[in-house]
C-alpha cells in the first residue's frame, strides 16, 4: 500500500459545503461552554484572539495560582486538548485478509474491538501495545459481521450478521482463542421470536446498564432484547424500508433514535409505546437513506450520515409529530449507492422541509453503511464530528462552523467505521483494505509511546 499521500490539516475556512441557518443556536453555546476556556480564564489571560488562548498563558496562570485553584476546569482542559488533533501517523494496529467493517473503543478506552468480514472479531489491549486480548471466531456468520457492541463493564460483547440471531461472548473470560461453541460458548439470542420470516441485523447497541440490546433490522423494524429475562421484549414496525441504524438517546434508555432507507430519522419514547405504536416524532431533511446515527448523549441532539453524501445535525425538539404529511422529494434518478456514484445533479439539491440544524459535506457515503460520530466529550467537549468515507479517508468537521479541520488519507479503499479514544488524541479507522490503522498526537516517524506511558502527561494537564 502506498504511503506517499500525506495526512492533511485544513484551515477553518474549508467548510466542505457546510450549511446552517446561522448558528445562533443553543448547541453552539453548549459546545463553547464544553470546549472553550472558562470565564475566569478568559478574563485573566484573554488576548486579541478571543477564540483561542495560548496553553502557555493558561499553564502560567494556573501555576502562579491566579485562578485560586490547583487544576483546570473541564472546559479549560478541553480547550487545550481539542487543538491537538490526532493527525500523526498512520500506525498499523492489525491487518487481515478480509474487509474490516466495525471498530470501537470500550467505555474506558482500555480495549479496542474490530470486526472483520471473514468471521473474526478481535479485541485489542490498548494499554499493552495494542496486543490481541481476545480473538473471536464468529458463529453463524452470514456474509459479514455487521456490528458489534461491548457492554460498559467490558464483560460481554454482542455481534450480529445478516441473520435474526445475534450472539453474545464473555470477553472477561480467560479464553483468548474464542472459537464459537468449541473453546467457548457463544450464546445465540433469537430476535425473531415466533416470527418465521428471516431478516438481517444491521446495527445493535448495549444499553448503559448492560441489561438490554437494541437492534435495527432489514424487516423495517427495531428490536429490544432483555438479557435478564433472556427474551425479546419489544418489536417496533418502525419504518417503511430497511432500518440501518439505531441507538439509545441517553443513559435512561427511554428514548431511541432510528434511521432508515426511507430517509427518515425517528424518535421513539418507550414510555408511550404501550398505548400507541407510533414514534414520538420524525425528522426529515435527508434525500436518501440513512446509514448511521450517533447520539450526543443528552437526549436532545444527534447526527446522521446519509446516502445523499451529507451528515446532518438534529435537535429532537424540532421533530414533526406526523411523518406522513412530509414526503421524500422525488429525484427521478434510479441509482444504487453500492456500485454507482451519486448523481452530480443531486449534490446541491435540498429537501424543501429540511428540519436539520446543519449539514456537513465533503466525505463520500457509498458502497456500504458508512458511520459517523461525535468526538469525545472529555478531551474535545464534542467540538467535532468525524466520519469514514468511500475515498479511503477519515474526515473531521468542526461541529459549529462546519469547517473541515482534518482529512486523514491512509487507506486505499472504503473506511466504513472509525473511532476516537474517549480520553486520548487517538483515532482508529477500519477499512475494506483489511487494515486497522491509528493516528495520534503527538507523533513522528517513530512508534509513539503507549497510552499508559502518557498518563503522567495527562495528570500534569489536570
Amino acid at each position: 500500500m502506498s504511503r506517499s499521500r500525506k495526512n492533511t490539516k485544513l484551515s477553518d475556512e474549508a467548510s466542505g459545503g457546510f450549511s446552517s441557518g446561522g448558528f445562533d443556536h443553543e448547541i453552539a453555546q453548549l459546545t463553547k461552554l464544553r470546549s472553550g476556556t472558562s470565564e475566569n480564564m478568559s478574563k485573566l489571560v484573554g488576548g486579541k484572539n478571543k477564540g483561542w488562548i495560548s496553553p502557555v498563558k493558561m499553564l502560567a496562570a494556573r501555576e502562579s495560582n491566579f485562578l485560586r485553584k490547583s487544576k483546570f476546569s473541564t472546559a479549560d482542559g478541553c480547550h487545550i486538548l481539542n487543538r491537538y488533533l490526532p493527525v500523526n501517523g498512520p500506525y498499523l494496529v492489525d491487518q487481515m485478509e478480509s474487509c474490516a467493517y466495525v471498530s470501537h473503543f470500550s467505555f474506558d478506552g482500555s480495549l479496542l474491538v474490530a470486526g472483520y468480514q471473514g468471521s473474526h472479531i478481535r479485541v485489542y489491549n490498548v494499554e499493552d501495545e495494542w496486543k490481541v486480548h481476545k480473538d473471536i471466531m464468529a458463529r453463524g456468520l452470514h456474509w459479514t459481521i455487521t456490528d458489534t457492541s461491548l457492554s460498559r463493564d467490558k464483560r460481554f460483547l454482542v455481534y450480529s450478521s445478516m441473520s435474526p440471531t445475534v450472539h453474545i461472548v464473555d470477553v472477561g473470560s480467560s479464553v483468548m482463542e474464542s472459537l464459537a461453541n468449541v473453546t467457548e460458548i457463544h450464546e445465540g439470542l433469537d430476535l425473531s421470536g415466533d416470527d418465521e420470516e428471516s431478516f438481517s441485523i444491521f446495527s445493535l447497541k448495549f444499553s448503559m446498564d448492560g441489561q438490554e440490546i437494541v437492534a435495527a433490522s432489514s424487516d423495517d423494524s427495531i428490536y429490544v432484547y432483555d438479557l435478564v429475562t433472556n427474551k425479546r421484549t419489544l418489536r417496533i414496525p418502525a419504518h417503511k424500508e430497511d432500518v440501518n441504524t439505531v441507538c439509545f438517546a441517553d443513559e435512561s434508555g427511554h428514548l431511541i433514535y432510528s434511521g432508515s432507507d426511507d430517509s427518515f430519522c425517528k424518535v421513539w419514547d418507550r414510555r408511550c409505546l404501550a398505548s400507541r405504536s407510533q414514534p414520538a416524532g420524525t425528522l426529515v431533511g435527508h434525500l436518501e437513506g440513512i446509514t448511521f446515527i450517533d447520539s450526543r448523549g443528552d437526549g436532545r441532539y444527534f447526527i446522521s450520515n446519509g446516502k445523499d453524501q451529507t451528515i446532518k445535525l438534529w435537535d429532537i425538539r424540532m421533530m414533526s409529530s406526523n411523518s406522513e404529511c412530509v414526503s421524500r422529494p422525488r429525484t427521478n434518478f434510479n441509482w444504487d449507492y453500492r456500485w454507482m456514484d451519486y448523481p452530480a445533479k443531486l449534490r446541491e439539491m435540498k429537501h424543501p422541509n429540511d428540519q436539520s440544524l446543519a449539514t456537513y459535506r465533503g466525505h463520500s457515503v457509498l458502497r456500504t453503511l458508512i458511520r459517523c460520530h461525535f468526538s469525545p466529550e472529555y478531551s474535545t467537549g464534542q467540538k467535532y464530528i468525524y466520519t469514514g468515507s468511500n475515498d479511503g479517508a477519515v474526515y473531521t468537521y468542526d461541529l459549529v462552523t462546519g469547517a473541515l479541520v482534518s482529512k486523514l488519507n491512509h487507506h486505499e479503499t472504503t473506511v466504513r467505521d472509525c473511532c476516537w479514544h474517549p480520553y486520548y488524541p487517538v483515532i482508529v479507522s477500519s477499512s475494506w483494505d483489511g487494515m486497522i490503522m491509528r493516528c495520534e498526537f503527538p507523533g513522528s516517524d517513530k512508534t509513539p509511546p503507549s497510552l499508559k506511558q502518557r498518563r503522567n502527561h495527562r495528570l500534569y494537564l489536570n
Side-chain angles (χ1 to χ4, degrees), residues 150-341:
L150 188 63
S151 60
R152 187 169 181 169
D153 62 4
K154 302 183 294 184
R155 178 70 190 277
F156 296 105
L157 180 138
V158 289
Y159 62 87
S160 62
S161 65
M162 310 291 275
S163 162
T165 301
V166 302
H167 293 88
I168 187 166
V169 187
D170 186 352
V171 176
S173 73
S174 60
V175 178
M176 180 178 175
E177 301 289 335
S178 181
L179 180 59
N181 292 1
V182 176
T183 61
E184 193 169 37
I185 298 298
H186 293 197
E187 183 181 355
L189 312 177
D190 186 5
L191 300 186
S192 63
D194 298 328
D195 303 332
E196 295 182 1
E197 292 186 8
S198 181
F199 52 86
S200 303
I201 300 297
F202 294 132
S203 172
L204 78 167
K205 292 288 185 297
F206 263 109
S207 60
M208 280 293 189
D209 60 12
Q211 296 185 3
E212 291 182 313
I213 297 166
V214 63
S217 75
S218 63
D219 68 345
D220 313 344
S221 300
I222 298 170
Y223 292 91
V224 176
Y225 194 95
D226 190 311
L227 293 170
V228 177
T229 61
N230 200 29
K231 65 179 181 180
R232 187 188 85 185
T233 55
L234 182 63
R235 175 183 180 267
I236 307 171
H239 292 266
K240 294 184 177 179
E241 296 184 46
D242 291 356
V243 183
N244 295 323
T245 176
V246 67
C247 67
F248 290 104
D250 55 23
E251 293 189 6
S252 72
H254 295 314
L255 292 179
I256 295 173
Y257 301 145
S258 65
S260 165
D261 274 338
D262 62 14
S263 80
F264 296 135
C265 296
K266 292 188 178 182
V267 181
W268 305 88
D269 190 338
R270 298 170 66 189
R271 295 164 293 189
C272 304
L273 287 174
S275 59
R276 58 184 184 90
S277 297
Q278 296 293 326
T282 302
L283 290 153
V284 300
H286 279 293
L287 298 172
E288 303 292 344
I290 294 157
T291 63
F292 197 71
I293 282 176
D294 188 40
S295 174
R296 194 167 181 259
D298 55 11
R300 183 171 295 168
Y301 298 103
F302 67 92
I303 55 172
S304 59
N305 227 354
K307 297 176 185 178
D308 57 5
Q309 315 304 300
T310 68
I311 294 175
K312 286 186 176 291
L313 172 67
W314 308 92
D315 180 347
I316 69 170
R317 292 171 297 181
M318 299 179 69
M319 62 190 178
S320 303
S321 59
N322 184 4
S323 63
E324 301 303 322
C325 65
V326 184
S327 62
R328 174 169 142 192
R330 294 187 177 276
T331 60
N332 296 321
F333 278 88
N334 186 18
W335 77 288
D336 193 315
Y337 88 115
R338 291 173 294 179
W339 51 74
M340 298 171 65
D341 289 335

